[in-house]
Amino acid sequence: MSLPTQVRIIDVGPRDGLQNEKQPVPAAAKIELIERLQAAGLTEIEATSYVSPKWVPQMADNHEVMSGITRRSGVRFSVLTPNMKGFEAALQDRPHEIVVFGAASEAFSQKNINCSIAESIERFAPVVAAARAAGIATRGAMSCTVGCPYEGDVAPEKVGYLAGLMKAIGVERVDVADTIGVGTPRRVQQAIEATLAHYDIDHVSGHFHDTYGQALANTLAALEIGVWNFQSSVAGLGGCPYAKGATGNVATEDVVFMLNGLGIETGIDLDRLVDAGAFISGELGRKPNSRTAVAILNKRAG
Ligand code: HMG
Ligand code: MG
C-alpha cells in the first residue's frame, strides 16, 4: 500500500468551526486565529462565508475579518458563497477561492440553503462563471455524502450525481463531506470513488466531521485510495447549524500528528498549530477538542 507523500490541509476552523458558536466571537479573535494558522504553516484557510446573517449570525462579520487579516505570501483564502449576492459581497474582499456548497441529500439541501439540489446548481452556475471570469478559483462542497440528518444513509450514486452536476457547471475541485460524521472507512471510500467518476484525485478532498469518532480512520481510508487534500478544523472546532448534534471537523492537530507519524509532509508546525488551537479555545472558554492538542498541552505543563 503506498500512501501519498504529501498532504495539503485547508483549515476550515474560522468558518466551519466558528459558524455554529452560540456566543459571539469577536472579529478580532477570528483575525488572530487566522494569523496564528498562517504562522503555523497552513497554506489554505477557509476564512468566512457570505450567507444570510439571519441564517448564520456568526459569519456576519465577513468583511471585517477579510479586511483585517494579513495575507502572507503563498497562503490562499477561501470563502463560502451560496449565490450571486454572496459572491458579489465576497468579491470586494479578494478571496483566492470561492466555495459553492451543495448536498447529496435533498432534505439537507432544503434545510441548509433553502432550495432543491437542482435549484442549487442553477444558483451556483452564475457564481462559478463569474468567479472564473474574475480569475478566482472555485470549489464545491458536497454535504451529506454518507449520511443525512433527515434522510439517513446516502447512497454513493447520489454523491456521483452531485459531483457530475458540479463538474458540468465548471467547479474545479470538490470536497466529499461527511457532515454529520456517521461515515466509516469503506463507506467514505465509496463516496470518494463515486466522485472520482467525475474528478481526478488531485481535485477531490476529504472533509470529515468527528461526531462518532471515525474521522481519523476515514482520513486514513481516503489516503489509501490516493486522496491528498483534506479539510480539518484547528482544535476540532465546529458543527453545522443545520446538522443538529453533529460535532466539529476532525481536529487539524490530530490529522497532522497522524500524518507526521506516517512520514507524510504537510508543511505544518504542530507546536505552533497547538498554540493556535489553545488560543481560540481560550477565547471560547474551553479546552481544545483535540486529543493531540490536549496531550501536548499536558506534556508542556507537566
Ligand atoms: P433564501 O431565504 O432562500 O434567500 O436563503 P433569498 O434569495 O430568498 O433571500 C432572502 C433574504 O436573504 C433576503 O434578505 C436576501 O437579501 C438575503 P431580506 O430581504 O429578507 O432582508 N440573502 C443574503 N444575505 C446575505 N448574503 C447572501 C444572501 N442571499 C440572500 N448570500 C441562503 C438562501 C443560501 C442565503 C440561506 O439559506 C443561507 O444563508 N443559508 C445558510 C447556509 C450556511 O451558511 N450553512 C452553513 C455552511 S454549509 C456547511 O457547514 C457544510 C460544509 O462544511 C460541508 C459539510 O460539512 O457538509 C460546507
Ligand atoms: Mg463541514
Side-chain angles (χ1 to χ4, degrees):
M1 177 179 60
S2 78
L3 298 177
T5 55
Q6 187 196 333
V7 153
R8 190 167 53 195
I9 293 179
I10 306 180
D11 197 291
V12 297
R15 194 285 303 170
D16 203 355
L18 296 178
Q19 71 181 5
N20 204 32
E21 285 298 326
K22 297 287 173 287
Q23 52 179 319
V25 181
K30 296 174 181 171
I31 292 165
E32 173 74 23
L33 171 63
I34 291 171
E35 191 52 48
R36 285 170 179 261
L37 289 172
Q38 294 188 75
L42 265 302
T43 54
E44 292 207 52
I45 299 171
E46 197 172 275
T48 189
S49 57
Y50 297 80
V51 299
S52 163
K54 286 182 193 149
W55 285 59
V56 186
Q58 194 65 259
M59 296 287 112
D61 58 3
N62 41 35
H63 291 305
E64 202 181 340
V65 170
M66 286 296 281
S67 58
I69 56 182
T70 43
R71 296 171 183 231
R72 297 196 183 197
S73 77
V75 182
R76 292 162 52 79
F77 293 95
S78 53
V79 301
L80 268 56
T81 56
N83 52 22
M84 280 308 288
K85 187 177 168 83
F87 176 75
E88 274 151 19
L91 202 51
Q92 305 166 33
D93 295 328
R94 302 177 296 110
H96 296 91
E97 180 174 66
I98 58 92
V99 184
V100 290
F101 48 105
S105 99
E106 281 294 345
F108 191 79
S109 181
Q110 287 291 348
K111 297 276 183 191
N112 193 39
I113 52 175
N114 204 25
C115 62
S116 69
I117 296 170
E119 284 162 347
S120 75
I121 294 295
E122 276 171 37
R123 291 182 188 181
F124 300 157
V127 174
V128 172
R132 297 188 71 153
I136 299 171
T138 56
R139 179 152 57 87
M142 304 194 296
S143 290
C144 298
T145 59
V146 184
C148 165
Y150 312 102
E151 291 181 11
D153 284 353
V154 172
E157 293 70 40
K158 292 193 171 176
V159 182
Y161 172 70
L162 178 62
L165 295 175
M166 291 277 189
K167 185 77 183 185
I169 60 167
V171 172
E172 292 158 72
R173 58 175 180 160
V174 287
D175 313 330
V176 178
D178 180 14
T179 313
I180 56 171
V182 291
T184 44
R186 297 291 169 254
R187 300 219 45 226
V188 163
Q189 286 180 337
Q190 287 164 358
I192 293 168
E193 273 152 8
T195 305
L196 290 173
H198 303 279
Y199 284 90
D200 64 63
I201 198 79
D202 296 339
H203 294 93
V204 174
S205 63
H207 175 122
F208 307 130
H209 286 256
D210 201 31
T211 318
Y212 288 84
Q214 303 298 299
L216 271 187
N218 293 340
T219 302
L220 183 57
L223 286 165
E224 281 176 5
I225 58 172
V227 173
W228 62 281
N229 285 278
F230 292 93
Q231 285 134 36
S232 56
S233 281
V234 67
L237 296 171
C240 173
Y242 302 100
K244 266 212 169 353
T247 61
N249 298 84
V250 63
T252 309
E253 296 92 318
D254 295 1
V255 175
V256 170
F257 184 83
M258 180 178 84
L259 295 173
N260 285 349
L262 290 167
I264 297 173
E265 194 58 50
T266 63
I268 298 169
D269 178 327
L270 183 55
D271 269 307
R272 295 186 110 177
L273 181 64
V274 168
D275 293 340
F279 161 75
I280 192 64
S281 301
E283 289 288 315
L284 299 170
R286 56 179 187 244
K287 279 189 174 179
N289 190 13
S290 153
R291 301 281 281 267
T292 294
V294 170
I296 290 175
L297 291 168
N298 286 343
K299 198 170 170 189
R300 284 184 192 167

